[in-house]
């Protein structure tokens, strides 16, 4: 296999994908970096000039940035909390033998395939609507005052929607990990007198720890960029209550046409994502070597 | 492993499992049911679950909207097109990395993965400007290009993990048997790789179909796929729940079915082989 | 025809030399076995002959022609892989026909050759099956069938029996030897199992750390190992290797004696010892004796001999069958 001729062919076959991806990554990124040092507003053409770190200064000292950063962390953290814990519990239930297991599995993973705009609108209108929504009806049936979700708990409502979309992902991956657990190990532990709880704590949880890490890291990458759900439900409001970093930059770029400021924000977002990516890449890289 | 399971335990988990499954699936089911109601029944209190006058009127109405078919076509063209181009680029690359790995193969793979980590907003501005200047805004071509690049790392990775599972000895055997590189690919590699390629394709069509950052930001009326079309229901048409439901059902049904078929590959594709 | 000559063949990965330099002559029709511990470079050497690995230096000459940089398919060799490397999506027929199809032969000729090969290998009833539906031994035969239809100058076998269970391995050993007698084609066979080497080879090449330790017929190697490595590697159970005073008595640093060349007695002998574990094989008995002042000695004796654990016995090596080695491990 490892002959000179095959190696040359291999390089040739890799180059289109590698070159295109390289361009795709580097060209816009360099442009973003360049714009971030310019005063550049699409509404005021011809006024572009180099202003050093001023855009960064504006962006990072803008109170909206801190609100958005806080919202982003809440959104990521809240969603992770729900999906990881829910995913572990669901995976354990789905791993038990019961009638119709396969169908239930399909039901559980279904939300993952629903496009974000659909799930956001369905939840917002048909479930969370304060008057006609299903939740409101349930609340009233039990004699409670219905919650006006997007007015009273806007960020939590979005977390709920996003968590619903990502719960299947966590469940499916944790279930896969759970199923790869060696049955003989469990039986050996049973022979050693370990009860169900200690088996879970000493065997199942350590076995799933890698999968849990993968779920957390990959979801974080995607959750940092939640966009469509916010756009179609709240437009970042009320006020800035549901504006995350992604939405903030979007608004700055395509609503206020402040290219320079949005670019500075973009670079900040890239740096934030890279902190997570660093750990994820190391984890996956380690896995490659086995 | 022949573990004994008592019927009672099985029954308990059957009830629990189905309860959870239906709860999670409920929003989809509810959308499906609502799509057959009249607008009046859709907002009725108390809600009508099954015993209402089923009607196909909403489907007729959504489809009679002049632009509906255009958005469907856009979705199909964009998701299938970007996947096919992605495959054409990725198959040779993944083949090379799986079967003639060098010291740098791992680095290349990791680097490809890292491009996937880039938050889209980081490049939103320049891409928007490039698209504007090149006249790619609101074109299918532009979206196909963007989605190809976005999903290329996943395609390469998935194919790589599938190709890796084809034992190298088999390709060596083919080479000993006198197969040229072309014949090796046609007679040996491709038939063995087809299942993997098929599931990679399926998963990437799903991902491209549901992509909702670039499709919302780079399209307006002409190239908008279903994601953007549905987003247009956010206001004020969102008040027409039955029509929203019908449009949603049509937008998600084909992908949901494909997704169910590809559920095994989903794990591999989305975790970059870290969990199989 | 199928003579293969290796001239100063070497292989290194980066700065590490896996095979420093090897010269070897393989005569047409010979059954040559490369044997050695894992990691000794025997598979690498075979793959270099096949053309699946580049040479770092030297030449490979097949039938008088320098084939060092020729593509694998052009060398006229067939290979049977350890994992069989059958094409899982083709039937048995398709697998065996594949090299002929690649060769551009016409359908009728292919059909005849495949059926002939299937007949020789008892695969006639399985031609429509997929490899996945076959047993290990049958897959092995398909791999061999795929190799023989090409009528190669030589067959290369890369540990072909290591995935089979013990009983099948014995059968396949016989079948491959049989095939060699029928075809009279050169065969190069790589294994780490010295029993396979002894039973099948015309010529054994013992490799260690990329170097040839000794080349010779099985009995040559058995009777006169050139050094301690070969002495310890060839023969089962292993030769007893004694160092220290007892060896010095025979003017050697290491003294070797095979278990079958030590006589055991309950009453008298040269060495006195205590019986440890006894392994009864039925035909033979292996007795592990702790000899005073020498150490553990394994003795092979007839199947009816019985002793008890801890019993005192006397051992006498046959003087004519002693092997003496110097400080460098070379035979004296």
């Amino acid at each position: 296999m490892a002959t000179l001729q095959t190696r040359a062919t291999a390089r040739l076959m890799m180059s289109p994908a590698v070159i295109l991806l390289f361009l795709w990554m580097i060209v816009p990124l360099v442009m973003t970096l360049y714009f971030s040092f310019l005063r550049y507003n699409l509404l005021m053409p011809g006024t572009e000039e180099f202003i050093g770190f001023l855009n960064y200064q504006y962006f990072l000292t803008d109170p909206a940035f801190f609100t958005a950063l806080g919202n982003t962390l809440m959104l990521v953290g809240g969603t992770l909390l729900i999906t990881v814990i829910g995913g572990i519990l669901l995976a354990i239930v789905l791993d038990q033998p019961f009638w119709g297991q396969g169908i239930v599995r399909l039901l559980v993973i279904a939300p993952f395939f629903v496009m974000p705009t659909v799930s956001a609108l369905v939840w917002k209108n048909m479930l969370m609507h304060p008057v006609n929504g299903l939740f409101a009806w349930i609340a009233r049936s039990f004699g409670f005052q219905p919650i006006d979700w997007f007015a009273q708990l806007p960020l939590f409502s979005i977390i709920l929607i996003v968590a619903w979309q990502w719960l299947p992902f966590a469940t499916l991956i944790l279930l896969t990990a759970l199923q790869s657990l060696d049955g003989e190990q469990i039986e050996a532990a049973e022979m050693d007198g370990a009860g169900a709880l200690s088996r879970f704590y000493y065997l199942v949880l350590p076995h799933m720890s890698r999968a849990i890490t993968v779920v957390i890291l990959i979801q974080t990458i995607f959750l940092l960029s939640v966009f469509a759900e916010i756009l179609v439900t709240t437009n970042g409001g009320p006020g800035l209550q549901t504006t995350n970093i992604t939405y903030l930059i979007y608004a700055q770029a395509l609503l206020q046409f402040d290219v320079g400021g949005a670019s500075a924000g973009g670079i900040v977002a890239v740096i934030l994502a890279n902190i997570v990516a660093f750990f994820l890449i190391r984890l996956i890289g380690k896995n490659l070597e086995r | 492993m022949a573990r004994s399971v008592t019927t009672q335990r099985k029954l308990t988990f059957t009830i629990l499992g189905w309860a959870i499954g239906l709860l999670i699936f409920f929003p989809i089911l509810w959308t499906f049911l609502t799509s057959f109601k009249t607008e009046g029944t859709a907002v009725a209190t108390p809600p009508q679950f099954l015993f209402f006058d089923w009607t196909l009127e909403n489907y007729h109405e959504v489809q009679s909207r002049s632009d509906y078919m255009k958005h469907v076509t856009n979705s199909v063209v964009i998701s299938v097109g970007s996947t096919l181009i992605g495959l054409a680029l990725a198959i040779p690359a993944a083949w090379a990395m799986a079967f003639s790995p060098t010291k740098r193969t791992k680095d290349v793979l990791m680097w490809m993965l890292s491009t996937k980590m880039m938050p889209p907003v980081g490049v939103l501005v320049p891409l928007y400007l490039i698209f504007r200047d090149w006249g790619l805004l609101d074109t299918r071509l532009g979206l196909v290009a963007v989605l190809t690049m976005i999903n290329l790392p996943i395609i390469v990775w998935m194919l790589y993990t599938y190709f890796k599972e084809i034992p190298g000895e088999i390709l060596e055997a083919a080479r000993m048997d006198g197969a040229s590189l072309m014949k090796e690919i046609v007679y040996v590699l491709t038939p063995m790789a087809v299942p993997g390629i098929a599931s990679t394709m399926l998963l990437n069509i799903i991902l491209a179909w549901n992509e909702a950052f670039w499709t919302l930001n780079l399209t307006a009326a002409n190239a908008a796929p279903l994601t953007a079309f549905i987003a247009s229901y956010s206001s004020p048409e969102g008040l027409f729940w039955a029509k929203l439901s019908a449009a949603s059902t049509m937008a998600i049904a084909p992908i949901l079915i494909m997704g169910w078929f590809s559920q095994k590959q989903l794990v591999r594709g989305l975790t970059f082989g870290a969990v199989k | 025809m199928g003579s293969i000559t290796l001239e100063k063949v070497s292989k290194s990965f980066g700065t590490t030399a896996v095979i420093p330099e090897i010269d070897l002559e393989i005569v047409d029709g010979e059954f040559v076995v490369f044997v050695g511990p894992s990691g000794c470079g025997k598979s690498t050497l075979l793959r270099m002959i096949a053309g699946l690995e580049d040479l770092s230096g030297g030449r490979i000459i097949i039938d008088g022609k320098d084939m060092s940089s020729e593509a694998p398919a052009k060398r006229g060799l067939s290979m049977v892989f350890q994992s069989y490397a059958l094409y899982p999506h083709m039937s048995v027929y398709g697998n065996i026909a594949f090299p002929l199809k690649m060769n551009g032969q016409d359908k009728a000729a292919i059909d005849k050759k495949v059926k002939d090969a299937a007949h020789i290998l008892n695969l006639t009833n399985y031609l429509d099956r997929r490899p996945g539906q076959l047993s290990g031994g049958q897959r092995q035969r398909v791999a061999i069938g795929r190799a023989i239809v090409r009528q190669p100058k030589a067959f290369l076998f890369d540990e072909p029996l290591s995935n089979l269970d013990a009983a099948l391995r014995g059968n396949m050993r016989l079948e491959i030897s049989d095939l060699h007698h029928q075809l009279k084609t050169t065969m190069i066979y790589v294994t780490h199992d010295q029993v396979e080497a002894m039973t099948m080879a015309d010529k054994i090449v013992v490799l260690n750390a990329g170097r040839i330790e000794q080349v010779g017929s099985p009995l040559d190697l058995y009777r006169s190992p050139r050094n301690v490595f070969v002495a310890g590697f060839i023969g089962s159970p292993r030769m007893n290797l004694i160092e220290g005073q007892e060896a010095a008595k025979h003017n050697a640093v290491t003294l070797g004696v095979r278990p079958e060349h030590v006589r055991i007695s309950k009453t008298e002998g040269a060495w006195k010892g205590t019986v440890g574990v006894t392994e009864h094989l039925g035909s033979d008995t292996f007795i592990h004796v702790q000899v005073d002042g020498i150490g553990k000695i394994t003795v092979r004796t007839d199947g009816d001999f019985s002793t008890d654990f801890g019993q005192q016995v006397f051992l006498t090596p046959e003087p004519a069958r002693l092997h003496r080695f110097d400080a460098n491990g070379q035979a004296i």
Side-chain angles (χ1 to χ4, degrees):
Chain A
M1 175 76 18
T3 58
L4 279 177
Q5 194 201 347
T6 53
R7 237 175 255 144
T9 324
R11 213 164 290 156
L12 198 71
M13 293 195 300
M14 272 168 64
S15 41
V18 170
I19 291 170
L20 280 174
L21 255 187
F22 183 74
L23 290 177
W24 159 255
M25 187 181 80
I26 212 72
V27 172
L29 202 57
V30 168
M31 284 172 76
T32 307
L33 199 62
Y34 172 67
F35 292 153
S36 72
F37 293 112
L38 293 186
R39 181 202 312 281
Y40 185 1
N41 194 308
L42 293 178
L43 296 179
M44 293 178 277
T47 61
E48 295 86 22
E49 59 171 330
F50 186 79
I51 52 165
F53 283 91
L54 212 57
N55 282 324
Y56 289 92
Q57 203 184 319
Y58 281 136
F59 187 81
L60 292 174
T61 54
D62 185 353
F65 167 70
F66 290 99
T67 314
L69 186 64
N71 287 339
T72 307
L73 292 178
M74 286 287 288
L75 179 58
V76 172
T79 310
L80 281 179
L81 202 69
I82 298 175
T83 53
V84 170
I85 294 176
I88 293 175
L89 296 176
L90 264 173
I92 290 172
V93 171
L94 288 182
D95 194 36
Q96 311 296 323
F98 63 81
W99 290 292
Q101 207 179 6
I103 299 168
V104 170
R105 227 179 110 125
L106 292 182
L107 295 182
V108 168
I109 64 169
F112 191 76
F113 303 113
V114 177
M115 53 177 66
T117 45
V118 166
S119 42
L121 283 181
V122 165
W123 276 77
K124 180 192 178 189
N125 292 325
M126 287 151 59
L127 299 178
M128 290 173 159
H129 193 280
V131 180
N132 298 324
L134 200 69
F135 290 175
W137 172 71
I138 293 171
R140 275 196 300 272
S141 318
F142 286 97
F144 295 110
Q145 178 67 33
I147 304 167
D148 186 355
W149 291 86
F150 283 94
Q152 292 171 305
L153 301 164
L155 189 59
F156 180 70
S157 306
I158 289 185
I159 291 176
L160 219 55
I161 297 173
V162 176
W164 178 72
Q165 290 180 289
W166 284 93
L167 183 62
F169 172 79
T171 306
L172 199 55
I173 286 173
L174 296 174
L175 181 62
T176 311
L178 201 58
Q179 284 169 339
S180 72
L181 180 60
D182 182 9
E184 285 193 351
Q185 243 183 58
I186 296 286
E187 284 173 350
E190 248 173 291
M191 299 288 291
D192 290 341
L197 266 181
S198 26
R199 284 203 303 270
F200 175 75
Y201 188 75
Y202 289 108
L203 289 174
V204 179
L205 215 50
H207 177 80
M208 297 215 296
S209 65
R210 237 178 61 88
I212 293 174
T213 322
V214 169
V215 167
I216 290 176
L217 290 173
I218 291 181
Q219 283 201 27
T220 306
I221 295 285
F222 283 98
L223 295 178
L224 282 174
S225 304
V226 165
F227 173 75
E229 293 84 344
I230 298 173
L231 180 78
V232 299
T233 54
T234 65
N235 274 314
L240 288 172
Q241 283 188 56
T242 55
T243 297
N244 66 352
I245 300 265
T246 301
Y247 194 83
L248 182 70
I249 299 166
Y250 154 80
Q252 206 152 11
L254 298 188
L255 301 181
Q256 295 158 26
F257 301 103
D258 178 5
V259 170
S263 296
I267 294 295
V268 172
V270 169
I271 292 169
L272 288 178
N274 272 344
I275 297 172
V276 183
F278 174 76
F279 291 104
L280 178 59
I281 296 229
R282 271 183 31 158
L283 190 81
I284 293 175
K286 235 180 249 163
N287 194 47
L288 255 194
E289 270 150 27
R290 288 187 312 167
Chain B
M1 195 177 64
R3 294 173 67 86
S4 55
V5 179
T6 61
T7 314
Q8 197 198 345
R9 186 188 155 98
K10 204 168 170 179
L11 197 66
T12 314
F13 275 101
T14 307
I15 295 167
L16 186 65
W18 275 92
I20 295 173
L22 287 173
L23 190 67
I24 290 177
F25 189 70
F26 183 77
I28 299 173
L29 183 67
W30 191 236
T31 310
F32 180 73
L33 292 177
T34 306
S35 72
F36 295 103
K37 297 176 184 170
T38 59
E39 292 297 350
T41 335
V43 295
T45 309
Q48 307 281 309
F49 285 92
L50 288 172
F51 306 106
F52 51 86
D53 288 327
W54 290 57
T55 169
L56 285 172
E57 181 196 336
N58 301 305
Y59 286 91
H60 286 302
E61 204 150 319
V62 172
Q63 285 185 37
S64 65
R65 271 185 57 168
S66 60
D67 51 353
Y68 175 77
M69 276 324 285
K70 185 175 75 186
H71 299 301
V72 175
T73 320
N74 286 341
S75 267
V76 172
V77 168
I78 291 165
S79 56
V80 175
S82 66
T83 302
L84 289 182
I85 298 173
L87 281 175
L89 289 167
I91 289 174
W95 190 88
M97 288 194 268
F99 298 120
S100 0
T102 62
K103 272 182 228 144
R104 275 179 305 163
T105 300
K106 210 192 117 190
D107 299 333
V108 173
L109 275 169
M110 295 324 296
W111 166 75
M112 284 192 167
L113 180 59
S114 72
T115 65
K116 186 73 198 155
M117 315 266 154
M118 195 162 57
V121 280
V123 292
L124 170 65
V125 171
L127 223 63
Y128 186 84
L129 295 180
I130 293 175
F131 267 51
R132 187 195 61 182
D133 296 344
W134 291 6
L136 287 173
L137 276 181
D138 202 16
T139 62
R140 289 177 192 163
L141 178 68
L143 267 194
V144 167
V146 168
L147 291 189
T148 301
M149 295 321 290
I150 286 191
N151 284 335
L152 189 58
I154 292 191
I155 302 185
V156 171
W157 264 85
M158 279 185 79
L159 289 176
Y160 173 78
T161 59
Y162 282 114
F163 288 177
K164 256 291 196 240
E165 281 169 14
I166 300 175
E169 279 197 348
I170 286 192
L171 298 182
E172 291 184 349
R175 213 164 295 168
M176 292 292 293
D177 285 344
S180 63
L181 186 63
M182 258 328 278
K183 285 183 177 166
E184 192 179 317
I185 291 176
V186 172
Y187 289 109
V188 182
L189 183 82
T190 311
M192 290 183 71
V194 157
I197 294 174
S199 32
T200 306
M201 192 163 94
L202 214 58
L203 179 62
N204 276 280
I205 290 176
I206 295 171
L207 290 178
W209 184 277
N210 288 342
E211 204 285 329
F213 182 82
W214 296 111
T215 50
L216 291 179
N217 279 318
L218 298 178
T219 62
N222 289 326
L226 288 167
T227 43
F229 170 70
I230 299 284
S232 73
Y233 274 85
S234 59
S235 63
E237 283 179 86
L239 301 175
F240 298 104
W241 292 6
K243 277 180 222 47
L244 167 67
S245 297
S248 299
T249 303
M250 284 190 287
I252 63 176
I255 268 341
L256 185 57
I257 289 164
M258 280 170 82
W260 278 339
F261 277 110
S262 71
Q263 55 158 326
K264 286 242 167 63
Q265 282 64 46
L266 188 74
V267 174
R268 187 200 291 248
L270 289 174
T271 62
F272 302 95
V275 175
K276 264 185 226 168
Chain C
M1 284 295 285
S3 68
I4 298 171
T5 309
L6 310 187
E7 276 183 13
K8 296 199 166 42
V9 166
S10 65
K11 176 79 187 175
S12 42
F13 293 110
T15 51
T16 41
V18 188
I19 295 170
E21 205 172 87
I22 277 185
D23 286 291
L24 186 67
E25 186 81 37
I26 295 164
V27 183
D28 181 35
E30 218 170 16
F31 196 120
V32 179
V33 175
F34 293 173
V35 68
S38 56
C40 71
K42 54 190 190 296
S43 280
T44 309
L45 190 61
L46 189 78
R47 291 164 56 83
M48 284 158 77
I49 296 173
L52 296 170
E53 296 272 356
D54 285 329
L55 303 187
S56 302
R59 301 200 300 160
I60 289 173
I61 294 157
I62 301 172
D63 278 347
K65 266 171 64 187
D66 185 352
M67 294 280 193
S68 310
S69 48
E70 202 63 69
K74 304 249 169 75
R75 300 189 183 197
L77 307 175
S78 287
M79 183 143 164
V80 176
F81 291 85
Q82 182 172 6
S83 64
Y84 319 136
L86 300 179
Y87 310 120
H89 55 288
M90 298 179 195
S91 63
V92 169
Y93 185 99
N95 265 280
I96 299 177
F98 188 73
L100 302 172
K101 199 165 127 192
M102 290 300 107
N103 207 6
Q105 301 199 8
D106 66 78
K107 276 221 167 91
I110 293 179
D111 193 60
K112 186 180 177 325
K113 283 183 187 167
V114 173
K115 295 218 162 114
D116 285 350
H119 180 72
I120 294 176
L121 294 164
N122 276 327
L123 287 169
T124 310
N125 295 329
Y126 301 101
L127 283 174
D128 296 331
R129 300 223 189 151
R130 294 283 168 99
Q133 300 164 301
L134 301 179
S135 69
Q138 287 164 340
R139 284 182 214 182
Q140 182 65 73
R141 284 207 290 269
V142 176
I144 294 173
R146 194 173 64 185
I148 59 179
V149 285
R150 295 178 59 202
Q151 295 167 312
K153 293 176 193 151
F155 291 98
L156 311 177
F157 292 91
D158 188 5
E159 307 220 17
L161 306 186
S162 55
N163 286 344
L164 299 177
D165 63 47
L168 256 176
R169 217 179 299 161
N171 282 340
M172 285 309 297
R173 223 158 62 197
L174 276 179
E175 283 189 36
I176 293 175
S177 295
D178 235 14
L179 197 69
H180 181 239
H181 287 297
Q182 279 180 50
L183 302 173
K184 299 195 166 45
T185 311
T186 311
M187 291 187 177
I188 307 179
Y189 188 105
V190 163
T191 179
H192 61 267
D193 180 357
Q194 59 95 23
V195 176
E196 282 175 27
M198 292 295 282
T199 51
M200 299 166 84
D202 294 325
K203 182 154 95 187
I204 296 181
V205 178
V206 183
L207 287 157
N208 184 28
R211 270 172 237 281
I212 295 184
E213 295 284 352
Q214 191 170 357
V215 179
S217 73
L219 287 181
D220 276 348
L221 300 191
Y222 177 79
R223 287 193 189 120
S224 40
R226 200 198 286 161
N227 53 38
V228 175
F229 180 82
V230 177
F233 198 80
I234 300 290
S236 171
R238 277 168 61 97
M239 181 188 279
N240 298 299
L241 294 168
I242 303 161
E243 289 174 350
Q245 229 179 352
E246 189 62 30
K249 272 191 215 164
H250 293 83
N251 291 324
V253 175
T254 309
L255 187 69
V257 60
R258 295 199 184 275
E260 48 272 42
H261 300 145
V262 180
R263 270 181 290 130
I264 185 166
S265 155
K266 288 174 181 166
T267 50
E268 56 183 357
W271 302 331
K272 192 173 85 171
T274 322
V275 172
V277 174
T278 305
E279 298 172 280
H280 292 285
L281 272 66
S283 56
D284 301 284
T285 306
F286 300 156
I287 306 166
H288 301 274
V289 181
Q290 183 69 37
V291 177
D292 308 343
I294 293 176
K296 251 199 179 125
I297 296 287
T298 306
V299 180
R300 177 184 200 148
T301 185
D302 62 77
D304 301 326
F305 193 91
S306 71
T307 50
D308 294 319
F309 184 86
Q311 193 180 348
Q312 202 168 74
V313 290
F314 295 91
L315 306 180
T316 315
E318 293 176 28
R321 307 267 201 161
L322 284 175
H323 301 272
R324 293 155 56 229
F325 303 98
D326 65 16
N328 296 325
Q330 299 300 312
I332 303 173

